[in-house]
Amino acid sequence: MKIGKLNHVGVATPSIEQSVALYRDVLGATKIGEKFAMPEQGVWVCFVDLPNSQIELIEPHGDNSPLKGFLEKNPAGGQHHVCFEVDDIIAARDDMAAKGATVLNNGQPRIGAHGTPVIFVHPKNMGGVLVELMETPKGAH
Amino acid sequence: MKIGKLNHVGVATPSIEQSVALYRDVLGATKIGEKFAMPEQGVWVCFVDLPNSQIELIEPHGDNSPLKGFLEKNPAGGQHHVCFEVDDIIAARDDMAAKGATVLNNGQPRIGAHGTPVIFVHPKNMGGVLVELMETPKGAH
């Protein structure tokens, strides 16, 4: 397995609206998408586009959001995960498992915010960083 | 002010050697630089190159490293900061200050790991994210 592009940095926030105002009005980001829900993952999502990568703003959606614990520890929000692209999510998942890493959701890929399958690898195996691996969208190269 | 590229994600680690092994042997990164010291900032630095951006591995250097507190809270390491490029660091610094953000080091830019001036903006004004702004190296576009 070989990681490719840094697709995005996931940034948890108690309020996507407030974070959009920060990235737009304070930091001057000019391309910011619409907020949308991913109920199965328990998050609202909004992408801030940068010339080479993205910030993925994520806010809890529903009562069982996996972000709740993170925001209890970090009420203002903060860096939540890093997402690298891979060519083949199944090959990546099997490689991670073979190397002893802990793939969340019992190793079952889900469809991510860009419409391609993703997995998450537990921070305990990744130097304290929650790592998302995302299959590169076809035709994206 | 307008942020440009996501230059890098800063990842704190208790051991750059261990993190290099992780990014190389587990995640399959193929372009990893040599570790070097930045004594004034109190860090060892090592860049993992991705096709569109970088991971900046940082390890404490010396007894007064600003990373010591972070690693006490996060012994395994973790995401420490996000670095965005800007055209002009003085204009960016003045704009941040005018907008009420707290620029560290009394607003005085320092020379960063890529040889251009950088500032850090306090997480309390940045949605819990420590933000580095870095002047784009000349000729990098």
Side-chain angles (χ1 to χ4, degrees), chain B residues 3-71:
Chain B
I3 50 171
K5 287 185 184 172
L6 176 62
N7 185 272
H8 63 262
V9 178
V11 172
T13 171
S15 162
I16 283 182
E17 282 72 18
Q18 280 179 26
S19 290
V20 165
L22 167 67
Y23 280 85
R24 184 189 58 213
D25 302 336
V26 180
L27 290 168
T30 52
K31 289 185 65 180
I32 302 180
E34 293 294 320
K35 164 178 166 174
F36 60 97
M38 299 192 71
E40 275 183 43
Q41 277 85 333
V43 289
W44 290 96
V45 179
C46 177
F47 283 104
V48 177
D49 289 353
L50 302 169
N52 63 328
S53 192
Q54 294 178 307
I55 299 293
E56 180 190 48
L57 299 171
I58 44 178
E59 177 189 322
H61 180 286
D63 289 336
N64 299 313
S65 173
L67 290 183
K68 279 186 111 173
F70 183 92
L71 287 172

Coordinates of all heavy atoms in Angstrom, one line a residue, chain B residues 3-71:
Chain B
I3 N -5.9 32.8 2.5 CA -5.1 31.6 2.6 C -5.0 30.9 1.3 O -5.9 30.9 0.5 CB -5.5 30.6 3.7 CG1 -7.0 30.3 3.6 CG2 -5.2 31.1 5.1 CD1 -7.4 29.1 4.5
G4 N -3.8 30.4 1.0 CA -3.5 29.7 -0.2 C -3.5 28.2 0.1 O -4.3 27.6 0.8
K5 N -2.4 27.6 -0.4 CA -2.2 26.1 -0.2 C -2.2 25.7 1.2 O -1.7 26.4 2.1 CB -1.0 25.7 -0.9 CG -1.0 25.7 -2.4 CD 0.3 25.1 -3.0 CE 0.3 25.1 -4.5 NZ 1.6 24.7 -5.0
L6 N -2.6 24.5 1.5 CA -2.4 23.8 2.7 C -0.9 23.2 2.6 O -0.7 22.2 2.0 CB -3.4 22.6 2.9 CG -3.2 21.7 4.1 CD1 -3.3 22.4 5.4 CD2 -4.2 20.5 4.0
N7 N 0.0 24.0 3.2 CA 1.4 23.6 3.0 C 1.7 22.3 3.7 O 2.4 21.4 3.1 CB 2.3 24.7 3.5 CG 3.8 24.4 3.2 OD1 4.5 23.8 4.0 ND2 4.3 24.8 2.0
H8 N 1.3 22.2 4.9 CA 1.6 20.9 5.7 C 0.7 20.8 6.9 O 0.1 21.8 7.3 CB 3.0 20.8 6.1 CG 3.5 21.9 7.0 ND1 4.2 23.0 6.7 CD2 3.4 22.0 8.4 CE1 4.5 23.7 7.7 NE2 4.0 23.1 8.8
V9 N 0.6 19.6 7.4 CA 0.0 19.3 8.7 C 1.1 19.0 9.6 O 1.9 18.1 9.3 CB -1.0 18.1 8.6 CG1 -1.6 17.8 10.0 CG2 -2.1 18.4 7.6
G10 N 1.2 19.7 10.7 CA 2.2 19.4 11.7 C 1.8 18.3 12.7 O 0.7 18.4 13.3
V11 N 2.6 17.3 12.8 CA 2.2 16.1 13.6 C 3.3 15.9 14.6 O 4.5 15.7 14.3 CB 2.1 14.8 12.7 CG1 2.0 13.6 13.6 CG2 0.9 14.9 11.8
A12 N 3.0 16.1 15.9 CA 3.9 16.0 17.0 C 4.2 14.5 17.3 O 3.2 13.7 17.2 CB 3.4 16.7 18.3
T13 N 5.4 14.1 17.6 CA 5.7 12.8 17.9 C 6.8 12.7 19.0 O 7.7 13.6 19.0 CB 6.2 12.0 16.6 OG1 6.8 10.7 17.0 CG2 7.3 12.8 15.9
P14 N 6.8 11.7 19.8 CA 7.9 11.5 20.8 C 9.2 11.0 20.1 O 10.2 11.1 20.7 CB 7.3 10.5 21.8 CG 6.3 9.7 21.0 CD 5.7 10.7 20.0
S15 N 9.0 10.5 18.9 CA 10.2 9.9 18.2 C 10.0 10.1 16.7 O 9.2 9.3 16.1 CB 10.4 8.5 18.5 OG 11.2 7.8 17.6
I16 N 10.8 10.9 16.0 CA 10.7 11.0 14.6 C 11.1 9.7 13.9 O 10.5 9.3 12.9 CB 11.6 12.2 14.1 CG1 10.8 13.5 14.3 CG2 11.9 12.1 12.6 CD1 11.6 14.8 13.9
E17 N 12.0 9.0 14.5 CA 12.4 7.7 13.9 C 11.2 6.7 13.8 O 11.0 6.1 12.8 CB 13.6 7.1 14.7 CG 15.0 7.6 14.4 CD 15.1 9.1 15.0 OE1 14.4 9.5 15.9 OE2 16.1 9.8 14.5
Q18 N 10.5 6.7 14.9 CA 9.4 5.8 15.0 C 8.3 6.2 14.0 O 7.6 5.4 13.3 CB 8.7 5.7 16.4 CG 9.4 4.8 17.4 CD 8.8 4.9 18.7 OE1 7.6 5.1 18.8 NE2 9.6 4.6 19.8
S19 N 8.1 7.6 13.9 CA 7.1 8.1 13.0 C 7.5 7.9 11.5 O 6.6 7.6 10.7 CB 6.8 9.5 13.2 OG 6.1 9.7 14.5
V20 N 8.8 8.0 11.2 CA 9.2 7.8 9.9 C 9.0 6.3 9.5 O 8.5 6.0 8.4 CB 10.7 8.1 9.7 CG1 11.3 7.5 8.5 CG2 10.9 9.7 9.7
A21 N 9.3 5.4 10.4 CA 9.0 4.0 10.2 C 7.5 3.8 9.9 O 7.2 3.0 9.0 CB 9.5 3.1 11.4
L22 N 6.7 4.4 10.6 CA 5.2 4.3 10.4 C 4.8 4.8 9.0 O 4.1 4.1 8.3 CB 4.5 5.1 11.5 CG 3.0 5.4 11.3 CD1 2.2 4.1 11.3 CD2 2.4 6.4 12.3
Y23 N 5.2 6.0 8.7 CA 4.8 6.6 7.4 C 5.5 5.8 6.2 O 4.8 5.6 5.2 CB 5.1 8.1 7.3 CG 4.1 8.9 8.0 CD1 4.2 9.1 9.4 CD2 3.0 9.4 7.4 CE1 3.2 9.8 10.1 CE2 2.0 10.1 8.0 CZ 2.1 10.3 9.4 OH 1.1 10.9 10.1
R24 N 6.7 5.3 6.4 CA 7.4 4.6 5.3 C 6.9 3.1 5.2 O 6.5 2.7 4.2 CB 8.9 4.6 5.6 CG 9.7 4.0 4.5 CD 11.2 3.9 5.0 NE 11.3 3.1 6.2 CZ 12.1 3.3 7.2 NH1 13.0 4.3 7.1 NH2 12.1 2.5 8.3
D25 N 6.9 2.4 6.3 CA 6.7 1.0 6.3 C 5.2 0.6 6.4 O 4.9 -0.5 5.8 CB 7.5 0.3 7.4 CG 9.0 0.6 7.3 OD1 9.5 0.9 6.3 OD2 9.6 0.5 8.4
V26 N 4.5 1.4 7.1 CA 3.0 1.0 7.2 C 2.2 1.7 6.2 O 1.4 1.1 5.5 CB 2.5 1.3 8.7 CG1 1.1 0.9 8.8 CG2 3.4 0.5 9.7
L27 N 2.4 3.0 6.1 CA 1.5 3.8 5.1 C 2.1 3.9 3.7 O 1.4 4.3 2.8 CB 1.3 5.2 5.7 CG 0.4 5.2 6.9 CD1 0.4 6.6 7.6 CD2 -1.1 4.9 6.6
G28 N 3.4 3.5 3.6 CA 4.0 3.4 2.2 C 4.4 4.8 1.6 O 4.4 4.9 0.4
A29 N 4.6 5.8 2.4 CA 5.2 7.0 1.9 C 6.6 6.8 1.3 O 7.4 6.1 1.9 CB 5.2 8.1 3.0
T30 N 6.9 7.4 0.2 CA 8.1 7.0 -0.5 C 9.1 8.2 -0.5 O 10.3 8.0 -0.7 CB 7.9 6.6 -1.9 OG1 7.1 7.7 -2.6 CG2 7.1 5.3 -2.0
K31 N 8.7 9.4 -0.2 CA 9.6 10.5 -0.2 C 9.6 11.1 1.2 O 8.7 11.9 1.6 CB 9.2 11.6 -1.2 CG 9.4 11.2 -2.6 CD 9.1 12.3 -3.6 CE 10.1 13.5 -3.5 NZ 9.7 14.6 -4.4
I32 N 10.7 10.8 2.0 CA 10.8 11.3 3.3 C 12.2 12.0 3.5 O 13.2 11.4 3.1 CB 10.6 10.2 4.4 CG1 9.2 9.5 4.2 CG2 10.7 10.7 5.8 CD1 8.9 8.4 5.1
G33 N 12.2 13.2 4.0 CA 13.5 13.9 4.1 C 14.3 13.5 5.3 O 13.9 12.6 6.0
E34 N 15.4 14.2 5.5 CA 16.3 13.9 6.6 C 15.7 14.8 7.8 O 15.2 15.9 7.6 CB 17.7 14.4 6.3 CG 18.4 13.5 5.3 CD 18.6 12.1 5.8 OE1 18.9 11.9 7.0 OE2 18.4 11.1 5.0
K35 N 15.9 14.3 9.0 CA 15.6 15.0 10.2 C 16.6 16.2 10.4 O 17.8 16.0 10.1 CB 15.7 14.0 11.3 CG 15.7 14.5 12.7 CD 15.7 13.3 13.7 CE 16.1 13.7 15.1 NZ 16.0 12.6 16.1
F36 N 16.1 17.3 10.8 CA 17.0 18.4 11.1 C 16.5 19.2 12.3 O 15.3 19.1 12.6 CB 17.2 19.4 9.9 CG 15.9 20.0 9.4 CD1 15.6 21.3 9.8 CD2 15.1 19.3 8.5 CE1 14.4 21.9 9.3 CE2 13.9 19.9 8.0 CZ 13.6 21.2 8.4
A37 N 17.4 19.9 13.0 CA 17.1 20.6 14.2 C 16.7 22.1 13.9 O 17.3 22.7 13.0 CB 18.2 20.6 15.2
M38 N 15.7 22.6 14.6 CA 15.4 24.0 14.7 C 15.5 24.4 16.1 O 14.4 24.6 16.8 CB 14.0 24.3 14.0 CG 14.0 23.9 12.6 SD 12.5 24.5 11.7 CE 12.9 26.3 11.6
P39 N 16.7 24.7 16.6 CA 16.8 24.9 18.1 C 16.1 26.1 18.6 O 15.5 26.1 19.7 CB 18.4 25.2 18.2 CG 19.0 24.6 17.0 CD 17.9 24.7 15.9
E40 N 15.9 27.2 17.8 CA 15.2 28.4 18.3 C 13.7 28.0 18.5 O 13.1 28.6 19.4 CB 15.3 29.5 17.2 CG 16.6 30.3 17.4 CD 16.6 31.5 16.4 OE1 15.5 32.1 16.2 OE2 17.6 31.7 15.8
Q41 N 13.2 27.2 17.7 CA 11.8 26.8 17.9 C 11.6 25.6 18.8 O 10.5 25.2 19.2 CB 11.1 26.4 16.5 CG 10.6 27.6 15.7 CD 11.7 28.3 14.9 OE1 12.9 28.2 15.2 NE2 11.3 28.9 13.8
G42 N 12.8 25.0 19.2 CA 12.7 23.9 20.1 C 12.2 22.6 19.5 O 11.5 21.8 20.2
V43 N 12.4 22.4 18.2 CA 11.9 21.2 17.6 C 12.9 20.5 16.6 O 13.8 21.2 16.0 CB 10.6 21.5 16.7 CG1 9.4 21.7 17.7 CG2 10.8 22.6 15.7
W44 N 12.9 19.2 16.5 CA 13.4 18.5 15.4 C 12.3 18.4 14.4 O 11.1 18.2 14.7 CB 13.8 17.1 15.8 CG 15.0 17.0 16.7 CD1 15.0 16.8 18.1 CD2 16.3 16.9 16.3 NE1 16.2 16.8 18.6 CE2 17.1 16.8 17.5 CE3 17.0 17.0 15.1 CZ2 18.5 16.7 17.5 CZ3 18.4 16.9 15.1 CH2 19.1 16.8 16.2
V45 N 12.7 18.4 13.1 CA 11.7 18.5 12.0 C 12.0 17.4 10.9 O 13.2 17.2 10.7 CB 11.7 19.9 11.3 CG1 10.6 19.9 10.2 CG2 11.3 21.0 12.4
C46 N 11.0 16.8 10.4 CA 11.3 15.9 9.2 C 10.0 15.9 8.4 O 8.9 15.7 8.9 CB 11.5 14.5 9.8 SG 11.7 13.2 8.5
F47 N 10.2 16.2 7.1 CA 9.0 16.3 6.2 C 8.8 14.9 5.4 O 9.7 14.3 4.9 CB 9.2 17.4 5.2 CG 9.0 18.7 5.7 CD1 10.1 19.6 6.0 CD2 7.7 19.2 6.0 CE1 9.9 20.9 6.5 CE2 7.5 20.5 6.5 CZ 8.6 21.3 6.8
V48 N 7.5 14.5 5.5 CA 7.0 13.4 4.6 C 6.3 14.1 3.4 O 5.3 14.8 3.6 CB 6.0 12.5 5.4 CG1 5.5 11.4 4.5 CG2 6.7 12.0 6.7
D49 N 6.8 13.9 2.2 CA 6.3 14.5 1.0 C 5.1 13.6 0.5 O 5.3 12.4 0.2 CB 7.3 14.6 0.0 CG 8.4 15.7 0.3 OD1 8.2 16.4 1.3 OD2 9.4 15.8 -0.4
L50 N 4.0 14.3 0.2 CA 2.9 13.6 -0.5 C 2.8 14.3 -1.8 O 3.4 15.4 -2.0 CB 1.6 13.8 0.4 CG 1.8 13.2 1.8 CD1 0.6 13.5 2.6 CD2 1.9 11.6 1.7
P51 N 2.0 13.8 -2.8 CA 2.0 14.4 -4.1 C 1.5 15.9 -4.1 O 1.9 16.7 -5.0 CB 1.0 13.6 -4.9 CG 1.0 12.2 -4.2 CD 1.2 12.5 -2.7
N52 N 0.7 16.3 -3.1 CA 0.2 17.6 -3.1 C 0.4 18.4 -1.9 O 0.1 19.6 -1.8 CB -1.4 17.6 -3.3 CG -2.0 16.9 -2.1 OD1 -1.5 16.0 -1.5 ND2 -3.2 17.3 -1.8
S53 N 1.1 17.8 -0.8 CA 1.2 18.5 0.4 C 2.3 17.8 1.2 O 3.0 16.9 0.7 CB -0.1 18.6 1.2 OG -0.1 19.5 2.2
Q54 N 2.4 18.1 2.5 CA 3.4 17.4 3.4 C 2.8 17.2 4.8 O 2.0 17.9 5.2 CB 4.6 18.3 3.5 CG 5.4 18.5 2.2 CD 6.6 19.5 2.4 OE1 6.4 20.6 3.0 NE2 7.8 19.0 2.0
I55 N 3.4 16.1 5.4 CA 3.3 16.0 6.8 C 4.6 16.4 7.4 O 5.7 16.0 7.0 CB 3.0 14.5 7.2 CG1 1.7 14.0 6.6 CG2 3.0 14.3 8.7 CD1 0.4 14.6 7.1
E56 N 4.5 17.3 8.4 CA 5.7 17.8 9.1 C 5.8 17.1 10.4 O 5.0 17.4 11.4 CB 5.7 19.3 9.3 CG 6.9 19.9 10.0 CD 6.7 21.3 10.4 OE1 5.7 21.7 11.0 OE2 7.7 22.1 10.2
L57 N 6.7 16.1 10.6 CA 6.9 15.5 11.8 C 7.7 16.4 12.7 O 8.8 16.9 12.3 CB 7.6 14.1 11.6 CG 6.8 13.1 10.8 CD1 7.7 11.9 10.4 CD2 5.5 12.7 11.4
I58 N 7.3 16.6 14.0 CA 8.0 17.5 14.9 C 8.2 16.8 16.2 O 7.3 16.2 16.8 CB 7.4 18.8 15.1 CG1 5.9 18.7 15.3 CG2 7.7 19.8 13.9 CD1 5.2 20.1 15.5
E59 N 9.4 16.8 16.7 CA 9.8 16.2 18.0 C 10.5 17.2 18.9 O 11.2 18.1 18.4 CB 10.8 15.0 17.7 CG 11.3 14.3 18.9 CD 12.4 13.3 18.5 OE1 12.4 12.6 17.4 OE2 13.4 13.2 19.3
P60 N 10.3 17.2 20.2 CA 10.9 18.2 21.1 C 12.4 18.2 20.9 O 13.1 17.1 20.8 CB 10.5 17.7 22.5 CG 9.3 16.9 22.3 CD 9.4 16.2 21.0
H61 N 13.0 19.4 20.9 CA 14.4 19.6 20.9 C 14.8 20.5 22.1 O 14.3 21.6 22.1 CB 14.8 20.3 19.6 CG 16.3 20.6 19.4 ND1 16.9 21.5 20.1 CD2 17.2 19.9 18.7 CE1 18.2 21.5 19.8 NE2 18.4 20.6 18.9
G62 N 15.5 20.0 23.0 CA 15.9 20.8 24.2 C 14.9 20.8 25.3 O 13.8 20.2 25.1
D63 N 15.2 21.4 26.4 CA 14.4 21.2 27.6 C 13.2 22.1 27.6 O 12.3 21.9 28.4 CB 15.3 21.5 28.8 CG 16.3 20.4 29.1 OD1 16.0 19.2 28.6 OD2 17.3 20.6 29.7
N64 N 13.2 23.2 26.8 CA 12.1 24.1 26.8 C 11.3 24.1 25.6 O 10.7 25.1 25.2 CB 12.7 25.6 27.0 CG 13.4 25.7 28.3 OD1 12.9 25.3 29.4 ND2 14.6 26.3 28.3
S65 N 11.2 22.9 25.0 CA 10.4 22.8 23.7 C 9.0 23.1 24.0 O 8.4 22.6 25.0 CB 10.6 21.4 23.2 OG 9.7 21.2 22.1
P66 N 8.3 23.9 23.1 CA 6.9 24.1 23.2 C 6.1 22.9 23.0 O 4.9 22.9 23.2 CB 6.6 25.2 22.1 CG 7.8 25.1 21.2 CD 9.0 24.6 22.0
L67 N 6.7 21.8 22.5 CA 6.0 20.5 22.3 C 5.8 19.7 23.6 O 5.1 18.7 23.6 CB 6.7 19.7 21.3 CG 6.6 20.1 19.8 CD1 7.3 19.1 19.0 CD2 5.2 20.4 19.4
K68 N 6.6 20.1 24.6 CA 6.6 19.2 25.8 C 5.2 19.1 26.4 O 4.7 18.0 26.8 CB 7.5 19.8 26.9 CG 9.0 19.4 26.7 CD 9.8 19.9 27.8 CE 10.4 18.7 28.6 NZ 11.4 19.1 29.6
G69 N 4.5 20.2 26.6 CA 3.1 20.2 27.1 C 2.2 19.3 26.3 O 1.4 18.6 26.8
F70 N 2.3 19.5 24.9 CA 1.4 18.8 24.0 C 1.6 17.3 24.2 O 0.7 16.5 24.3 CB 1.7 19.2 22.6 CG 0.8 18.5 21.6 CD1 -0.4 19.1 21.1 CD2 1.2 17.3 21.0 CE1 -1.2 18.5 20.2 CE2 0.3 16.6 20.1 CZ -0.8 17.2 19.7
L71 N 2.9 16.8 24.3 CA 3.2 15.4 24.4 C 2.9 14.9 25.8 O 2.6 13.7 25.9 CB 4.6 15.1 24.0 CG 4.9 15.2 22.5 CD1 6.4 15.1 22.2 CD2 4.2 14.1 21.7

